[in-house]
Amino acid sequence: MSEMIKYYAGDPKRIQHFIKVHSFSKLIGELEEVPSDVLEQLEAAALVHDIGIKLCEEKYGNCNGKLQEKEGPEAARQLLERVGYSTKIIDRVCYLVGHHHTYNEITGQDYQILVEADFLVNMYEDQLEEKAVKIAFEKIFKTKSGKKICREMFL
């Protein structure tokens, strides 16, 4: 978390975003009783999931989801290696970073929870209308805990 705060120094919006996604990811992961190794990679992925935004803005002047998925994994790998994560965790986190805007082939609890947590934060930050929240709720949310949090926050 400290390295990501340093990475996004001077950009409180991005820092606030990944900290909130991390908090929801950790909470849902714990409520869903995911194994500790899965929770560890989920938390790491939540912290770095949007690491590609900065590079995309610099390189393309645009940070859409597909560009983030393209540029994010290598930046995540470098940061995670520097702070000492295992290769196994780094490989999975890079996969998640490279797919976290792809919703049609979600595989694994960590992927599902990361997407749900990101949606919870984005629905609030983007001030989505109730109709859009309901559509996301029906199409995206699969975990019992994620659904409960979404209902309690928005529906």
Tab-separated table of all heavy atoms in Angstrom, residues 57-118:
chain	number	residue	atom	x	y	z
A	57	GLU	N	-2.170	7.209	-19.245
A	57	GLU	CA	-2.375	8.651	-19.403
A	57	GLU	C	-1.144	9.303	-20.024
A	57	GLU	O	-1.259	10.164	-20.894
A	57	GLU	CB	-2.721	9.300	-18.065
A	57	GLU	CG	-4.128	8.959	-17.602
A	57	GLU	CD	-4.440	9.449	-16.196
A	57	GLU	OE1	-3.499	9.685	-15.395
A	57	GLU	OE2	-5.634	9.582	-15.888
A	58	GLU	N	0.040	8.876	-19.572
A	58	GLU	CA	1.285	9.437	-20.112
A	58	GLU	C	1.516	9.004	-21.555
A	58	GLU	O	1.919	9.799	-22.397
A	58	GLU	CB	2.480	8.997	-19.250
A	58	GLU	CG	2.476	9.579	-17.854
A	58	GLU	CD	3.485	8.909	-16.920
A	58	GLU	OE1	4.191	7.957	-17.337
A	58	GLU	OE2	3.558	9.338	-15.748
A	59	LYS	N	1.264	7.733	-21.842
A	59	LYS	CA	1.587	7.144	-23.139
A	59	LYS	C	0.538	7.444	-24.216
A	59	LYS	O	0.883	7.696	-25.367
A	59	LYS	CB	1.723	5.630	-22.948
A	59	LYS	CG	2.401	4.885	-24.054
A	59	LYS	CD	2.660	3.449	-23.588
A	59	LYS	CE	3.355	2.632	-24.645
A	59	LYS	NZ	3.628	1.270	-24.189
A	60	TYR	N	-0.748	7.400	-23.824
A	60	TYR	CA	-1.832	7.513	-24.797
A	60	TYR	C	-2.725	8.741	-24.586
A	60	TYR	O	-3.559	9.037	-25.435
A	60	TYR	CB	-2.732	6.275	-24.753
A	60	TYR	CG	-2.005	4.958	-24.878
A	60	TYR	CD1	-1.827	4.134	-23.768
A	60	TYR	CD2	-1.495	4.537	-26.105
A	60	TYR	CE1	-1.163	2.919	-23.870
A	60	TYR	CE2	-0.828	3.327	-26.217
A	60	TYR	CZ	-0.666	2.521	-25.101
A	60	TYR	OH	-0.009	1.321	-25.210
A	61	GLY	N	-2.608	9.389	-23.423
A	61	GLY	CA	-3.531	10.468	-23.100
A	61	GLY	C	-4.935	9.942	-22.835
A	61	GLY	O	-5.914	10.673	-22.885
A	62	ASN	N	-5.016	8.664	-22.510
A	62	ASN	CA	-6.294	7.981	-22.338
A	62	ASN	C	-6.051	6.804	-21.399
A	62	ASN	O	-4.997	6.170	-21.474
A	62	ASN	CB	-6.750	7.496	-23.722
A	62	ASN	CG	-8.054	6.735	-23.715
A	62	ASN	OD1	-8.482	6.205	-22.704
A	62	ASN	ND2	-8.684	6.671	-24.877
A	63	CYS	N	-7.004	6.514	-20.557
A	63	CYS	CA	-6.801	5.385	-19.636
A	63	CYS	C	-8.004	4.454	-19.620
A	63	CYS	O	-8.430	3.987	-18.569
A	63	CYS	CB	-6.459	5.884	-18.235
A	63	CYS	SG	-7.756	6.843	-17.442
A	64	ASN	N	-8.558	4.168	-20.797
A	64	ASN	CA	-9.713	3.275	-20.822
A	64	ASN	C	-9.331	1.883	-20.312
A	64	ASN	O	-8.160	1.529	-20.208
A	64	ASN	CB	-10.346	3.225	-22.221
A	64	ASN	CG	-9.509	2.477	-23.240
A	64	ASN	OD1	-9.085	1.349	-23.008
A	64	ASN	ND2	-9.285	3.102	-24.377
A	65	GLY	N	-10.351	1.099	-19.989
A	65	GLY	CA	-10.138	-0.197	-19.363
A	65	GLY	C	-9.255	-1.144	-20.136
A	65	GLY	O	-8.412	-1.842	-19.570
A	66	LYS	N	-9.405	-1.194	-21.444
A	66	LYS	CA	-8.592	-2.108	-22.253
A	66	LYS	C	-7.117	-1.698	-22.252
A	66	LYS	O	-6.234	-2.548	-22.197
A	66	LYS	CB	-9.134	-2.196	-23.680
A	66	LYS	CG	-10.437	-2.950	-23.763
A	66	LYS	CD	-10.278	-4.374	-23.253
A	66	LYS	CE	-11.560	-4.968	-22.752
A	66	LYS	NZ	-11.395	-6.176	-21.961
A	67	LEU	N	-6.864	-0.390	-22.307
A	67	LEU	CA	-5.471	0.063	-22.234
A	67	LEU	C	-4.874	-0.245	-20.864
A	67	LEU	O	-3.717	-0.649	-20.764
A	67	LEU	CB	-5.373	1.566	-22.537
A	67	LEU	CG	-5.622	1.975	-23.990
A	67	LEU	CD1	-5.620	3.496	-24.116
A	67	LEU	CD2	-4.591	1.351	-24.921
A	68	GLN	N	-5.663	-0.072	-19.808
A	68	GLN	CA	-5.190	-0.416	-18.463
A	68	GLN	C	-4.820	-1.894	-18.391
A	68	GLN	O	-3.810	-2.264	-17.794
A	68	GLN	CB	-6.272	-0.148	-17.420
A	68	GLN	CG	-6.544	1.289	-17.119
A	68	GLN	CD	-7.643	1.401	-16.092
A	68	GLN	OE1	-7.606	0.733	-15.068
A	68	GLN	NE2	-8.614	2.250	-16.359
A	69	GLU	N	-5.659	-2.740	-18.980
A	69	GLU	CA	-5.377	-4.175	-18.967
A	69	GLU	C	-4.105	-4.496	-19.745
A	69	GLU	O	-3.385	-5.430	-19.393
A	69	GLU	CB	-6.565	-4.949	-19.548
A	69	GLU	CG	-7.775	-4.958	-18.643
A	69	GLU	CD	-8.937	-5.765	-19.174
A	69	GLU	OE1	-9.008	-5.997	-20.413
A	69	GLU	OE2	-9.771	-6.186	-18.363
A	70	LYS	N	-3.823	-3.729	-20.770
A	70	LYS	CA	-2.616	-3.940	-21.583
A	70	LYS	C	-1.358	-3.481	-20.849
A	70	LYS	O	-0.350	-4.183	-20.821
A	70	LYS	CB	-2.760	-3.166	-22.902
A	70	LYS	CG	-1.542	-3.217	-23.791
A	70	LYS	CD	-1.740	-2.359	-25.031
A	70	LYS	CE	-0.452	-2.289	-25.827
A	70	LYS	NZ	-0.553	-1.337	-26.937
A	71	GLU	N	-1.389	-2.304	-20.262
A	71	GLU	CA	-0.192	-1.689	-19.677
A	71	GLU	C	0.021	-2.030	-18.198
A	71	GLU	O	1.141	-1.963	-17.704
A	71	GLU	CB	-0.243	-0.166	-19.836
A	71	GLU	CG	-0.296	0.309	-21.272
A	71	GLU	CD	0.969	0.041	-22.061
A	71	GLU	OE1	2.020	-0.244	-21.459
A	71	GLU	OE2	0.910	0.127	-23.304
A	72	GLY	N	-1.040	-2.384	-17.495
A	72	GLY	CA	-0.955	-2.587	-16.051
A	72	GLY	C	-0.121	-3.759	-15.565
A	72	GLY	O	0.633	-3.625	-14.592
A	73	PRO	N	-0.225	-4.935	-16.201
A	73	PRO	CA	0.475	-6.095	-15.651
A	73	PRO	C	1.981	-5.924	-15.474
A	73	PRO	O	2.533	-6.322	-14.438
A	73	PRO	CB	0.137	-7.213	-16.650
A	73	PRO	CG	-1.205	-6.822	-17.171
A	73	PRO	CD	-1.145	-5.327	-17.288
A	74	GLU	N	2.664	-5.334	-16.434
A	74	GLU	CA	4.117	-5.195	-16.301
A	74	GLU	C	4.480	-4.215	-15.185
A	74	GLU	O	5.420	-4.455	-14.419
A	74	GLU	CB	4.750	-4.772	-17.626
A	74	GLU	CG	6.267	-4.702	-17.575
A	74	GLU	CD	6.945	-5.985	-17.092
A	74	GLU	OE1	6.450	-7.099	-17.367
A	74	GLU	OE2	7.992	-5.877	-16.411
A	75	ALA	N	3.738	-3.130	-15.073
A	75	ALA	CA	3.990	-2.181	-13.982
A	75	ALA	C	3.729	-2.843	-12.634
A	75	ALA	O	4.481	-2.655	-11.674
A	75	ALA	CB	3.118	-0.932	-14.158
A	76	ALA	N	2.670	-3.648	-12.558
A	76	ALA	CA	2.358	-4.376	-11.316
A	76	ALA	C	3.470	-5.363	-10.988
A	76	ALA	O	3.906	-5.459	-9.838
A	76	ALA	CB	1.021	-5.093	-11.455
A	77	ARG	N	3.935	-6.084	-11.992
A	77	ARG	CA	5.008	-7.063	-11.783
A	77	ARG	C	6.247	-6.399	-11.187
A	77	ARG	O	6.835	-6.889	-10.219
A	77	ARG	CB	5.357	-7.771	-13.099
A	77	ARG	CG	6.450	-8.820	-12.957
A	77	ARG	CD	6.653	-9.610	-14.235
A	77	ARG	NE	5.453	-10.297	-14.665
A	77	ARG	CZ	4.988	-11.435	-14.142
A	77	ARG	NH1	5.655	-12.023	-13.156
A	77	ARG	NH2	3.887	-11.983	-14.591
A	78	GLN	N	6.642	-5.274	-11.754
A	78	GLN	CA	7.838	-4.582	-11.266
A	78	GLN	C	7.675	-4.159	-9.809
A	78	GLN	O	8.572	-4.368	-8.988
A	78	GLN	CB	8.133	-3.370	-12.153
A	78	GLN	CG	8.608	-3.742	-13.532
A	78	GLN	CD	8.746	-2.541	-14.456
A	78	GLN	OE1	8.731	-1.398	-14.021
A	78	GLN	NE2	8.877	-2.806	-15.750
A	79	LEU	N	6.529	-3.587	-9.472
A	79	LEU	CA	6.310	-3.142	-8.096
A	79	LEU	C	6.265	-4.334	-7.140
A	79	LEU	O	6.889	-4.311	-6.078
A	79	LEU	CB	5.014	-2.332	-8.005
A	79	LEU	CG	4.746	-1.696	-6.643
A	79	LEU	CD1	4.102	-0.327	-6.817
A	79	LEU	CD2	3.850	-2.569	-5.776
A	80	LEU	N	5.538	-5.374	-7.510
A	80	LEU	CA	5.387	-6.535	-6.628
A	80	LEU	C	6.706	-7.283	-6.434
A	80	LEU	O	6.980	-7.788	-5.344
A	80	LEU	CB	4.299	-7.463	-7.160
A	80	LEU	CG	2.887	-6.858	-7.149
A	80	LEU	CD1	1.930	-7.736	-7.938
A	80	LEU	CD2	2.388	-6.641	-5.732
A	81	GLU	N	7.524	-7.356	-7.470
A	81	GLU	CA	8.851	-7.968	-7.323
A	81	GLU	C	9.710	-7.145	-6.366
A	81	GLU	O	10.404	-7.694	-5.511
A	81	GLU	CB	9.541	-8.085	-8.686
A	81	GLU	CG	8.992	-9.198	-9.544
A	81	GLU	CD	9.595	-9.241	-10.939
A	81	GLU	OE1	10.313	-8.285	-11.351
A	81	GLU	OE2	9.329	-10.236	-11.658
A	82	ARG	N	9.635	-5.829	-6.511
A	82	ARG	CA	10.437	-4.933	-5.666
A	82	ARG	C	10.081	-5.096	-4.184
A	82	ARG	O	10.959	-5.025	-3.330
A	82	ARG	CB	10.238	-3.483	-6.125
A	82	ARG	CG	11.208	-2.508	-5.534
A	82	ARG	CD	11.187	-1.124	-6.173
A	82	ARG	NE	9.902	-0.456	-6.049
A	82	ARG	CZ	9.063	-0.207	-7.052
A	82	ARG	NH1	9.356	-0.583	-8.281
A	82	ARG	NH2	7.922	0.419	-6.838
A	83	VAL	N	8.804	-5.332	-3.881
A	83	VAL	CA	8.414	-5.451	-2.470
A	83	VAL	C	8.440	-6.893	-1.962
A	83	VAL	O	8.139	-7.139	-0.798
A	83	VAL	CB	7.041	-4.787	-2.179
A	83	VAL	CG1	7.093	-3.304	-2.483
A	83	VAL	CG2	5.907	-5.461	-2.919
A	84	GLY	N	8.817	-7.847	-2.837
A	84	GLY	CA	9.107	-9.194	-2.358
A	84	GLY	C	8.009	-10.237	-2.433
A	84	GLY	O	8.101	-11.262	-1.748
A	85	TYR	N	6.999	-10.044	-3.255
A	85	TYR	CA	5.982	-11.084	-3.408
A	85	TYR	C	6.562	-12.279	-4.163
A	85	TYR	O	7.492	-12.141	-4.957
A	85	TYR	CB	4.759	-10.551	-4.171
A	85	TYR	CG	3.794	-9.807	-3.287
A	85	TYR	CD1	3.863	-8.429	-3.148
A	85	TYR	CD2	2.793	-10.487	-2.594
A	85	TYR	CE1	2.975	-7.741	-2.337
A	85	TYR	CE2	1.903	-9.811	-1.782
A	85	TYR	CZ	1.994	-8.440	-1.658
A	85	TYR	OH	1.110	-7.767	-0.853
A	86	SER	N	5.979	-13.447	-3.943
A	86	SER	CA	6.412	-14.660	-4.640
A	86	SER	C	5.974	-14.610	-6.106
A	86	SER	O	5.009	-13.930	-6.458
A	86	SER	CB	5.813	-15.902	-3.973
A	86	SER	OG	4.413	-15.966	-4.242
A	87	THR	N	6.670	-15.375	-6.925
A	87	THR	CA	6.352	-15.435	-8.346
A	87	THR	C	4.922	-15.926	-8.565
A	87	THR	O	4.207	-15.422	-9.436
A	87	THR	CB	7.348	-16.359	-9.083
A	87	THR	OG1	8.662	-15.831	-8.886
A	87	THR	CG2	7.048	-16.444	-10.560
A	88	LYS	N	4.492	-16.894	-7.776
A	88	LYS	CA	3.134	-17.440	-7.911
A	88	LYS	C	2.091	-16.342	-7.701
A	88	LYS	O	1.147	-16.214	-8.491
A	88	LYS	CB	2.919	-18.571	-6.910
A	88	LYS	CG	1.545	-19.182	-6.974
A	88	LYS	CD	1.359	-20.253	-5.915
A	88	LYS	CE	-0.065	-20.780	-5.987
A	88	LYS	NZ	-0.590	-21.232	-4.739
A	89	ILE	N	2.254	-15.565	-6.656
A	89	ILE	CA	1.301	-14.488	-6.380
A	89	ILE	C	1.400	-13.409	-7.457
A	89	ILE	O	0.381	-12.933	-7.967
A	89	ILE	CB	1.517	-13.901	-4.969
A	89	ILE	CG1	1.050	-14.918	-3.920
A	89	ILE	CG2	0.769	-12.571	-4.804
A	89	ILE	CD1	1.300	-14.519	-2.495
A	90	ILE	N	2.604	-13.048	-7.831
A	90	ILE	CA	2.793	-12.012	-8.851
A	90	ILE	C	2.130	-12.421	-10.163
A	90	ILE	O	1.426	-11.618	-10.788
A	90	ILE	CB	4.290	-11.707	-9.068
A	90	ILE	CG1	4.865	-11.022	-7.832
A	90	ILE	CG2	4.490	-10.840	-10.313
A	90	ILE	CD1	6.382	-10.878	-7.840
A	91	ASP	N	2.297	-13.668	-10.561
A	91	ASP	CA	1.696	-14.120	-11.820
A	91	ASP	C	0.172	-14.006	-11.778
A	91	ASP	O	-0.447	-13.543	-12.739
A	91	ASP	CB	2.111	-15.559	-12.136
A	91	ASP	CG	3.571	-15.679	-12.557
A	91	ASP	OD1	4.203	-14.648	-12.870
A	91	ASP	OD2	4.075	-16.823	-12.558
A	92	ARG	N	-0.432	-14.408	-10.679
A	92	ARG	CA	-1.899	-14.324	-10.569
A	92	ARG	C	-2.353	-12.866	-10.505
A	92	ARG	O	-3.335	-12.484	-11.158
A	92	ARG	CB	-2.404	-15.099	-9.351
A	92	ARG	CG	-3.914	-15.058	-9.177
A	92	ARG	CD	-4.661	-15.670	-10.342
A	92	ARG	NE	-6.108	-15.657	-10.081
A	92	ARG	CZ	-7.028	-15.944	-10.973
A	92	ARG	NH1	-6.677	-16.309	-12.206
A	92	ARG	NH2	-8.304	-15.907	-10.651
A	93	VAL	N	-1.666	-12.048	-9.740
A	93	VAL	CA	-2.028	-10.633	-9.642
A	93	VAL	C	-1.925	-9.968	-11.016
A	93	VAL	O	-2.816	-9.208	-11.404
A	93	VAL	CB	-1.165	-9.900	-8.591
A	93	VAL	CG1	-1.363	-8.396	-8.675
A	93	VAL	CG2	-1.496	-10.399	-7.186
A	94	CYS	N	-0.881	-10.269	-11.746
A	94	CYS	CA	-0.732	-9.684	-13.092
A	94	CYS	C	-1.859	-10.130	-14.010
A	94	CYS	O	-2.357	-9.340	-14.819
A	94	CYS	CB	0.628	-10.025	-13.677
A	94	CYS	SG	1.974	-9.142	-12.861
A	95	TYR	N	-2.282	-11.384	-13.881
A	95	TYR	CA	-3.437	-11.849	-14.645
A	95	TYR	C	-4.675	-11.020	-14.275
A	95	TYR	O	-5.420	-10.568	-15.161
A	95	TYR	CB	-3.698	-13.337	-14.388
A	95	TYR	CG	-4.940	-13.826	-15.085
A	95	TYR	CD1	-4.909	-14.199	-16.423
A	95	TYR	CD2	-6.159	-13.873	-14.417
A	95	TYR	CE1	-6.050	-14.622	-17.085
A	95	TYR	CE2	-7.313	-14.280	-15.058
A	95	TYR	CZ	-7.256	-14.647	-16.395
A	95	TYR	OH	-8.405	-15.052	-17.046
A	96	LEU	N	-4.898	-10.824	-13.001
A	96	LEU	CA	-6.072	-10.064	-12.545
A	96	LEU	C	-6.012	-8.614	-13.024
A	96	LEU	O	-7.016	-8.065	-13.485
A	96	LEU	CB	-6.198	-10.138	-11.023
A	96	LEU	CG	-6.477	-11.534	-10.455
A	96	LEU	CD1	-6.414	-11.513	-8.931
A	96	LEU	CD2	-7.802	-12.085	-10.947
A	97	VAL	N	-4.845	-8.003	-12.925
A	97	VAL	CA	-4.679	-6.624	-13.402
A	97	VAL	C	-4.968	-6.560	-14.900
A	97	VAL	O	-5.607	-5.622	-15.378
A	97	VAL	CB	-3.257	-6.100	-13.081
A	97	VAL	CG1	-2.989	-4.770	-13.773
A	97	VAL	CG2	-3.069	-5.962	-11.568
A	98	GLY	N	-4.540	-7.579	-15.624
A	98	GLY	CA	-4.721	-7.620	-17.066
A	98	GLY	C	-6.117	-8.017	-17.520
A	98	GLY	O	-6.395	-8.062	-18.718
A	99	HIS	N	-6.999	-8.301	-16.566
A	99	HIS	CA	-8.354	-8.737	-16.920
A	99	HIS	C	-9.449	-8.056	-16.089
A	99	HIS	O	-10.621	-8.383	-16.256
A	99	HIS	CB	-8.476	-10.257	-16.753
A	99	HIS	CG	-7.670	-11.016	-17.748
A	99	HIS	ND1	-6.327	-11.270	-17.572
A	99	HIS	CD2	-8.008	-11.551	-18.941
A	99	HIS	CE1	-5.876	-11.951	-18.615
A	99	HIS	NE2	-6.864	-12.122	-19.466
A	100	HIS	N	-9.107	-7.137	-15.206
A	100	HIS	CA	-10.109	-6.647	-14.258
A	100	HIS	C	-11.207	-5.794	-14.875
A	100	HIS	O	-12.174	-5.442	-14.197
A	100	HIS	CB	-9.444	-5.943	-13.060
A	100	HIS	CG	-8.981	-4.556	-13.314
A	100	HIS	ND1	-7.806	-4.262	-13.969
A	100	HIS	CD2	-9.537	-3.368	-12.987
A	100	HIS	CE1	-7.660	-2.952	-14.033
A	100	HIS	NE2	-8.692	-2.389	-13.453
A	101	HIS	N	-11.117	-5.497	-16.173
A	101	HIS	CA	-12.217	-4.832	-16.881
A	101	HIS	C	-12.891	-5.785	-17.874
A	101	HIS	O	-13.662	-5.352	-18.719
A	101	HIS	CB	-11.712	-3.587	-17.613
A	101	HIS	CG	-11.407	-2.451	-16.703
A	101	HIS	ND1	-12.378	-1.730	-16.052
A	101	HIS	CD2	-10.237	-1.905	-16.307
A	101	HIS	CE1	-11.819	-0.795	-15.309
A	101	HIS	NE2	-10.512	-0.882	-15.441
A	102	THR	N	-12.600	-7.060	-17.755
A	102	THR	CA	-13.202	-8.093	-18.587
A	102	THR	C	-14.138	-8.907	-17.698
A	102	THR	O	-13.685	-9.552	-16.756
A	102	THR	CB	-12.112	-8.999	-19.210
A	102	THR	OG1	-11.225	-8.180	-19.965
A	102	THR	CG2	-12.730	-10.058	-20.107
A	103	TYR	N	-15.422	-8.857	-18.005
A	103	TYR	CA	-16.418	-9.426	-17.089
A	103	TYR	C	-17.088	-10.695	-17.595
A	103	TYR	O	-17.888	-11.284	-16.889
A	103	TYR	CB	-17.494	-8.376	-16.785
A	103	TYR	CG	-16.922	-7.037	-16.398
A	103	TYR	CD1	-17.260	-5.889	-17.094
A	103	TYR	CD2	-16.019	-6.925	-15.342
A	103	TYR	CE1	-16.722	-4.658	-16.736
A	103	TYR	CE2	-15.472	-5.705	-14.993
A	103	TYR	CZ	-15.838	-4.578	-15.691
A	103	TYR	OH	-15.302	-3.373	-15.353
A	104	ASN	N	-16.769	-11.136	-18.799
A	104	ASN	CA	-17.487	-12.282	-19.358
A	104	ASN	C	-16.807	-13.625	-19.104
A	104	ASN	O	-17.386	-14.658	-19.419
A	104	ASN	CB	-17.725	-12.085	-20.866
A	104	ASN	CG	-16.434	-11.892	-21.637
A	104	ASN	OD1	-15.400	-11.585	-21.058
A	104	ASN	ND2	-16.490	-12.063	-22.941
A	105	GLU	N	-15.612	-13.626	-18.563
A	105	GLU	CA	-14.917	-14.886	-18.299
A	105	GLU	C	-14.221	-14.841	-16.939
A	105	GLU	O	-13.027	-15.112	-16.829
A	105	GLU	CB	-13.896	-15.179	-19.407
A	105	GLU	CG	-14.522	-15.423	-20.757
A	105	GLU	CD	-13.498	-15.704	-21.836
A	105	GLU	OE1	-12.374	-16.128	-21.508
A	105	GLU	OE2	-13.835	-15.497	-23.009
A	106	ILE	N	-14.962	-14.504	-15.914
A	106	ILE	CA	-14.389	-14.391	-14.569
A	106	ILE	C	-14.121	-15.792	-14.021
A	106	ILE	O	-15.026	-16.623	-13.948
A	106	ILE	CB	-15.317	-13.583	-13.641
A	106	ILE	CG1	-15.384	-12.136	-14.137
A	106	ILE	CG2	-14.845	-13.665	-12.192
A	106	ILE	CD1	-16.339	-11.238	-13.378
A	107	THR	N	-12.860	-16.034	-13.673
A	107	THR	CA	-12.454	-17.327	-13.132
A	107	THR	C	-11.788	-17.111	-11.778
A	107	THR	O	-10.855	-16.329	-11.664
A	107	THR	CB	-11.474	-18.042	-14.074
A	107	THR	OG1	-10.362	-17.169	-14.320
A	107	THR	CG2	-12.123	-18.388	-15.404
A	108	GLY	N	-12.277	-17.788	-10.780
A	108	GLY	CA	-11.667	-17.732	-9.450
A	108	GLY	C	-12.337	-16.733	-8.530
A	108	GLY	O	-12.852	-15.700	-8.962
A	109	GLN	N	-12.310	-17.065	-7.245
A	109	GLN	CA	-12.892	-16.186	-6.224
A	109	GLN	C	-12.207	-14.832	-6.193
A	109	GLN	O	-12.867	-13.809	-6.021
A	109	GLN	CB	-12.759	-16.817	-4.832
A	109	GLN	CG	-13.672	-17.972	-4.547
A	109	GLN	CD	-13.410	-18.505	-3.149
A	109	GLN	OE1	-12.320	-18.961	-2.836
A	109	GLN	NE2	-14.418	-18.425	-2.300
A	110	ASP	N	-10.893	-14.820	-6.341
A	110	ASP	CA	-10.163	-13.559	-6.266
A	110	ASP	C	-10.596	-12.608	-7.373
A	110	ASP	O	-10.833	-11.415	-7.135
A	110	ASP	CB	-8.651	-13.788	-6.280
A	110	ASP	CG	-8.149	-14.663	-7.418
A	110	ASP	OD1	-8.971	-15.197	-8.203
A	110	ASP	OD2	-6.919	-14.825	-7.523
A	111	TYR	N	-10.765	-13.116	-8.575
A	111	TYR	CA	-11.187	-12.316	-9.724
A	111	TYR	C	-12.597	-11.764	-9.490
A	111	TYR	O	-12.856	-10.570	-9.652
A	111	TYR	CB	-11.131	-13.212	-10.959
A	111	TYR	CG	-11.272	-12.581	-12.317
A	111	TYR	CD1	-10.965	-13.338	-13.441
A	111	TYR	CD2	-11.708	-11.281	-12.529
A	111	TYR	CE1	-11.083	-12.830	-14.723
A	111	TYR	CE2	-11.830	-10.761	-13.809
A	111	TYR	CZ	-11.527	-11.550	-14.902
A	111	TYR	OH	-11.652	-11.043	-16.165
A	112	GLN	N	-13.518	-12.642	-9.088
A	112	GLN	CA	-14.899	-12.223	-8.849
A	112	GLN	C	-14.975	-11.145	-7.778
A	112	GLN	O	-15.650	-10.124	-7.940
A	112	GLN	CB	-15.765	-13.429	-8.440
A	112	GLN	CG	-17.227	-13.074	-8.190
A	112	GLN	CD	-17.934	-12.572	-9.425
A	112	GLN	OE1	-17.781	-13.133	-10.508
A	112	GLN	NE2	-18.714	-11.517	-9.286
A	113	ILE	N	-14.283	-11.343	-6.693
A	113	ILE	CA	-14.329	-10.389	-5.581
A	113	ILE	C	-13.690	-9.069	-5.965
A	113	ILE	O	-14.213	-7.996	-5.640
A	113	ILE	CB	-13.692	-11.006	-4.318
A	113	ILE	CG1	-14.561	-12.172	-3.816
A	113	ILE	CG2	-13.495	-9.944	-3.235
A	113	ILE	CD1	-13.911	-13.025	-2.750
A	114	LEU	N	-12.569	-9.109	-6.682
A	114	LEU	CA	-11.933	-7.875	-7.133
A	114	LEU	C	-12.893	-7.065	-8.000
A	114	LEU	O	-13.026	-5.845	-7.817
A	114	LEU	CB	-10.647	-8.186	-7.909
A	114	LEU	CG	-9.930	-6.975	-8.509
A	114	LEU	CD1	-9.462	-6.013	-7.419
A	114	LEU	CD2	-8.760	-7.437	-9.370
A	115	VAL	N	-13.554	-7.708	-8.925
A	115	VAL	CA	-14.500	-7.008	-9.805
A	115	VAL	C	-15.642	-6.413	-8.985
A	115	VAL	O	-16.034	-5.262	-9.184
A	115	VAL	CB	-15.013	-7.957	-10.910
A	115	VAL	CG1	-16.211	-7.359	-11.637
A	115	VAL	CG2	-13.892	-8.274	-11.894
A	116	GLU	N	-16.183	-7.178	-8.049
A	116	GLU	CA	-17.277	-6.676	-7.218
A	116	GLU	C	-16.828	-5.466	-6.392
A	116	GLU	O	-17.546	-4.461	-6.304
A	116	GLU	CB	-17.812	-7.778	-6.306
A	116	GLU	CG	-18.567	-8.853	-7.058
A	116	GLU	CD	-19.106	-9.961	-6.178
A	116	GLU	OE1	-19.098	-9.821	-4.931
A	116	GLU	OE2	-19.545	-10.995	-6.728
A	117	ALA	N	-15.663	-5.549	-5.797
A	117	ALA	CA	-15.152	-4.445	-4.981
A	117	ALA	C	-14.942	-3.192	-5.829
A	117	ALA	O	-15.299	-2.082	-5.421
A	117	ALA	CB	-13.855	-4.856	-4.289
A	118	ASP	N	-14.379	-3.372	-7.014
A	118	ASP	CA	-14.153	-2.242	-7.914
A	118	ASP	C	-15.494	-1.621	-8.321
A	118	ASP	O	-15.635	-0.395	-8.374
A	118	ASP	CB	-13.361	-2.712	-9.136
A	118	ASP	CG	-12.666	-1.593	-9.887
A	118	ASP	OD1	-12.410	-0.510	-9.306
A	118	ASP	OD2	-12.332	-1.807	-11.064
